[in-house]
Amino acid sequence: MTKRFRNEDGSLIMTIDQIAEATEQEGREYYKAGEIFLFCEDGREYVHNSEPDEPLIHFQSFDGYNLFIPTNRLGTFLPDVATDGMELIRQE
């Protein structure tokens, strides 16, 4: 998959803060409470357990693992933005 905000070599062309700001709204729209997401880094599926106005978004796996991501950084985990292996991908 082609990743946004990267050059031909795969290096970031913006700071992570700039990318977070550019993708914040998109992240809030993609990551919805009650939906299931695969975290590629550990291969587990997580349920989004938070409301979008909370400062930290909580994802909990079915076997008890937890992820907490600052709401304003959700966009950095989008499949076409995140570093390979760090994607949180919505499951159908």
Side-chain angles (χ1 to χ4, degrees), residues 1 5 17 19 25-26 46 49-50 56-57 62 65-68 70-72 77 81-82 84 86:
M1 167 186 295
F5 310 109
D17 289 335
I19 294 169
Q25 187 58 40
E26 186 179 355
Y46 289 81
N49 288 328
S50 303
L56 283 176
I57 299 300
F62 294 101
Y65 285 79
N66 295 287
L67 297 175
F68 294 94
T71 304
N72 64 351
F77 288 86
V81 175
D84 287 336
M86 295 303 292

Side-chain angles (χ1 to χ4, degrees), residues 38-54:
L38 173 68
F39 187 34
C40 294
E41 202 261 344
D42 66 9
R44 288 184 172 84
E45 289 186 335
Y46 289 81
V47 176
H48 179 307
N49 288 328
S50 303
E51 294 303 319
D53 58 345
E54 295 181 26

Side-chain angles (χ1 to χ4, degrees), residues 27-41:
R28 288 174 184 263
E29 292 170 7
Y30 183 82
Y31 297 105
K32 299 286 187 187
E35 292 188 352
I36 298 171
F37 298 88
L38 173 68
F39 187 34
C40 294
E41 202 261 344

Side-chain angles (χ1 to χ4, degrees), residues 12 14-24 72-73 76:
L12 293 176
M14 298 167 64
T15 67
I16 197 68
D17 289 335
Q18 291 170 322
I19 294 169
E21 185 176 332
T23 60
E24 181 176 354
N72 64 351
R73 298 268 177 170
T76 65

